[in-house]
Amino acid sequence: MENAFSDRITDVPKSFIREILKVTIDPSIISFAGGLPNRLFFPVKALQQAAHDVFEEAGDEILQYANSEGYLGLRQFIADRYRQQEGLDIPVDDILITTGSQQGLDLLGKTFLNEGNDLIIEEPGYLGAIQAFAMYRPRFHPVTVSEGGMDITALGQVLGERQPKLLYTVTNFQNPSGISYSDENRRAVADLVRGSSCLIIQDDPYGDLRFSGTRKVSFKRILPANTVLLGSFSKTVAPALRLGWLVAPHPIMDKLIIAKQAADLHTDSLAQRILYRYLCDNDLDLHIATIIHQYGKQKEAMIGAIQQFFPPEVRYTNPAGGMFLWVTLPEGMSSMALFEAAIKKKVAFVPGTPFYVDRKDSNTLRLNFSCSDEPTIVEGIKRLGDSIKKLY
Ligand code: PMP
């Protein structure tokens, strides 16, 4: 059977996190491994009401096939929100509703990448993006992201030597590191890309989950012709809806719609109508405020516990939003070895390995703070601190 599979599927690694999550099913394990939004904030009743109302009012119409671009009302809502939140004027025709922003990544890969094409990706980077793009067998060029953003020298070098088609970025509260690019860093990235045919993908599922500080400038403002935006309702409403969107200018959108039609004709239009109804009848910003209030407290609890229980040589990011922070152990220490030790103490996290294109063992790890309450976070970090000290 091995010979039956395409090279494409054989080469793409299994989601390492799915494998880890299997270990953490044991309820006695404190897990910082998942990447899930906190289910306490899913608007169950309001979505139930929205679904009821949509069925009552629109009946059989909502069960019919729909257009590939997505429900107009929802696209208009997204356009209005860009105007209110970021002062961006996005024509509705430039917005495509996708089956989660994950599908946006796949459609971009399908639309732009031939085998061997150059693609720049953050390191560490979102493993779902590594997986989605790997299907199209590009040549990955990882560029380091650390506090403040992308390594400008390294980016300049790749752009000087190769002709990358895509530059993938998560500029706000990045998955996995929680890092945000500063305004200066964004402008420096844009200056390097300007004039080239490289397209910046700004994937922003966490941008609305800001606990502190002010919103940073979008690539769409500083380099509109070279920028594609990805957005998602997964972290602000609910991931099960599988509703995200892609913003791209006209000639690109035409091709993306072909890719979209070939993939699934259109995104679940029933889910789109229910979400739209929910958004019309409820205050999304109020809902988001509730989420970030809690995530912010949980993040503070995690930082406080790290300061108390981790050896001082361990470094960590202190994100201003999102769901993750990133820990760097002393040089030479393996986060895979730590994982083995930590599981014995009944605490889990994701080792850094899957977030690097070459999947090397590393001294880094990702901690999720959105899903555990504060006392659990403190206890879990204490156990992790003990495990780290044992490895010295
Ligand atoms: N991009 C990033 C950076 C993510 O972290 C995620 C979800 N973990 C996604 C995209 C995919 O999100 P969704 O498909 O649910 O919109």
Side-chain angles (χ1 to χ4, degrees), residues 94-372:
D94 288 5
I95 300 175
L96 170 67
I97 303 294
T98 56
T99 304
S101 52
Q102 189 67 27
Q103 186 185 41
L105 297 169
D106 181 56
L107 297 181
L108 288 165
K110 203 170 263 170
T111 302
F112 284 98
L113 297 175
N114 289 321
E115 185 168 346
N117 282 168
D118 296 301
L119 172 141
I120 301 175
I121 191 148
E122 298 167 328
E123 178 158 277
Y126 169 49
L127 81 149
I130 299 175
Q131 204 179 34
F133 293 134
M135 286 284 175
Y136 302 98
R137 317 188 69 175
R139 187 193 300 236
F140 284 103
H141 298 279
V143 171
T144 305
V145 164
S146 50
E147 290 295 349
M150 199 163 244
D151 180 336
I152 295 300
T153 311
L155 177 65
Q157 204 170 341
V158 186
L159 285 164
E161 287 168 5
R162 324 281 324 180
Q163 291 199 314
K165 283 189 162 172
L166 302 174
L167 162 55
Y168 175 74
T169 66
V170 184
T171 47
N172 296 314
F173 324 125
Q174 195 233 24
N175 182 1
S177 69
I179 285 169
S180 297
Y181 295 25
S182 67
D183 279 340
E184 303 74 64
N185 188 262
R186 292 169 199 232
R187 291 188 196 284
V189 169
D191 285 345
L192 286 173
V193 171
R194 189 170 287 116
S196 78
S197 57
C198 182
L199 205 61
I200 301 177
I201 302 170
Q202 182 178 303
D203 183 10
D204 192 22
Y206 304 104
D208 277 338
L209 303 185
R210 175 179 283 286
F211 328 132
S212 57
T214 49
R215 199 178 271 278
K216 303 278 181 284
V217 68
S218 170
F219 281 127
K220 191 70 185 166
R221 177 170 298 287
I222 44 186
L223 201 58
N226 289 62
T227 300
V228 168
L229 304 178
L230 295 180
S232 175
F233 290 104
S234 289
K235 313 301 187 305
T236 50
V237 184
L241 294 165
R242 306 307 304 126
L243 289 174
W245 67 91
L246 196 158
V247 175
H250 205 22
I252 298 177
M253 184 55 79
D254 286 352
K255 300 288 187 224
L256 286 167
I257 287 176
I258 297 173
K260 172 76 180 159
Q261 287 169 344
D264 62 358
L265 304 182
H266 63 75
T267 290
D268 180 341
S269 57
L270 181 55
Q272 294 183 60
R273 294 291 289 263
I274 294 171
L275 176 65
Y276 178 64
R277 182 68 201 229
Y278 163 81
L279 295 168
C280 291
D281 294 349
N282 296 273
D283 183 342
L284 180 62
D285 285 316
L286 202 62
H287 179 61
I288 292 174
T290 314
I291 299 175
I292 49 188
H293 176 69
Q294 190 56 34
Y295 286 9
K297 285 202 299 182
Q298 288 168 195
K299 194 252 350 201
E300 288 303 329
M302 190 169 269
I303 294 286
I306 287 176
Q307 287 165 345
Q308 193 180 348
F309 298 116
F310 281 12
E313 307 76 60
V314 176
R315 287 179 294 126
Y316 52 91
T317 59
N318 188 351
M323 305 191 333
F324 307 107
L325 61 82
W326 188 245
V327 171
T328 306
L329 302 168
E331 205 63 51
M333 196 179 268
S334 154
S335 58
M336 284 294 212
L338 178 63
F339 182 79
E340 300 295 329
I343 282 294
K344 291 196 185 108
K345 290 206 173 281
K346 297 210 175 283
V347 59
F349 58 84
V350 183
T353 309
F355 304 106
Y356 299 89
V357 171
D358 64 6
R359 300 173 72 77
K360 61 189 171 203
D361 188 11
S362 65
N363 61 334
T364 51
L365 56 112
R366 187 188 78 176
L367 297 177
N368 166 280
F369 52 77
S370 62
C371 287
S372 319

Side-chain angles (χ1 to χ4, degrees), residues 49-91:
Q49 185 64 47
H52 175 269
D53 293 347
V54 158
F55 272 105
E56 276 296 294
E57 285 158 24
D60 53 10
E61 182 212 322
I62 52 164
L63 297 175
Q64 189 52 281
Y65 280 116
N67 65 339
S68 303
E69 291 82 355
Y71 184 55
L72 189 59
L74 187 58
R75 291 156 71 213
Q76 189 64 59
F77 178 91
I78 293 165
D80 290 347
R81 207 168 155 79
Y82 273 122
R83 198 165 300 114
Q84 287 155 12
Q85 303 277 321
E86 305 198 53
L88 290 171
D89 215 357
I90 311 267

